[in-house]
Amino acid sequence: DYIRKPFHKEEVLVRVHMHLERGQLIETLTRESQELVKLNAQLEEKVTERTQELHQKVIELEGKNKIAQSLLTVHTLPQTLNLVLESITQIITLSRAVIYLVDNNELKPASAFGILGIDGIIPSEQLDQFQPSATLLQAMETLQRQQAVIHGQTDGVGEVFTLMPILRDDDLLGLIEI
């Protein structure tokens, strides 16, 4: 912009005022643009979080549907337990899980995941050599006395595990060790 001579005071003031307003508008637009970029980044994070949550829910629902569909057909108990354990390991990231059934007041492994150096579901016929840990047996005794779920017990090595009873009415049929 330029002003021709002879200068007129009013014209100079109008042009200076116009340029000051223009500078303020540019600053405002820049600031608001930066705020929009930040808000957009936050929105993207929320979309990512919600997408992950939805993905997890889909996995849960697929697992539940798989179990429900399986229950509609005739399967053996070991097949059903393998399916349940497979669904649990897909929903929750686990390093190890074992389903035990009570047989003659003894715990017998019926299905397992992540033990014996095998990564995956291990059916009961391959679990003959696997023995429950002393901590699990202690917990089993406590469970039989209390008929309650035990959370957060450690086995002295610092490994955290959870036991979930498999109940029919008040009868303890087995345990799921995670």
Side-chain angles (χ1 to χ4, degrees):
D1 199 4
Y2 62 95
I3 302 174
R4 295 186 189 183
K5 289 186 181 179
F7 298 110
H8 292 84
K9 181 180 174 186
E10 294 83 21
E11 181 182 354
V12 170
L13 289 175
V14 166
R15 288 188 186 215
V16 167
H17 182 69
M18 180 186 70
H19 285 289
L20 288 173
E21 281 182 356
R22 184 172 177 251
Q24 287 175 341
L25 286 174
I26 289 172
E27 274 183 31
T28 302
L29 286 174
T30 302
R31 187 176 55 254
E32 288 177 355
S33 176
Q34 290 171 346
E35 287 176 19
L36 282 175
V37 167
K38 286 179 186 176
L39 289 173
N40 193 30
Q42 290 173 349
L43 185 59
E44 286 293 327
E45 283 180 28
K46 284 185 180 185
V47 166
T48 302
E49 286 174 14
R50 296 276 162 78
T51 302
Q52 288 172 345
E53 288 173 7
L54 286 173
H55 181 70
Q56 185 66 27
K57 291 292 183 190
V58 166
I59 290 172
E60 283 182 37
L61 288 174
E62 286 174 349
K64 288 177 182 179
N65 186 44
K66 197 174 184 181
I67 292 171
Q69 290 298 321
S70 174
L71 292 175
L72 293 175
T73 59
V74 177
H75 288 288
T76 64
L77 180 60
Q79 288 172 326
T80 303
L81 293 175
N82 288 344
L83 180 66
V84 167
L85 193 58
E86 181 182 324
S87 296
I88 290 171
T89 58
Q90 287 175 351
I91 294 169
I92 307 170
T93 304
L94 301 174
S95 59
R96 176 186 156 170
V98 183
I99 296 178
Y100 297 96
L101 295 179
V102 177
D103 185 20
N104 295 327
N105 273 347
E106 275 187 48
L107 283 176
K108 301 280 186 181
S111 183
F113 172 82
I115 63 168
L116 302 176
I118 300 171
D119 191 29
I121 302 294
I122 304 163
S124 60
E125 51 273 2
Q126 295 178 9
L127 294 172
D128 291 337
Q129 71 230 23
F130 181 74
Q131 295 297 318
S133 67
T135 305
L136 177 63
L137 294 173
Q138 255 182 336
M140 175 64 184
E141 289 173 14
T142 303
L143 248 178
Q144 285 176 329
R145 283 193 306 271
Q146 298 176 357
Q147 294 289 309
V149 179
I150 300 173
H151 292 281
Q153 297 290 320
T154 59
D155 63 359
V157 185
E159 180 180 344
V160 174
F161 72 96
T162 299
L163 295 177
M164 292 175 282
I166 303 170
L167 301 170
R168 180 185 305 143
D169 297 323
D170 287 334
D171 296 331
L172 181 67
L173 303 177
L175 293 170
I176 300 175
E177 175 191 17
I178 297 176

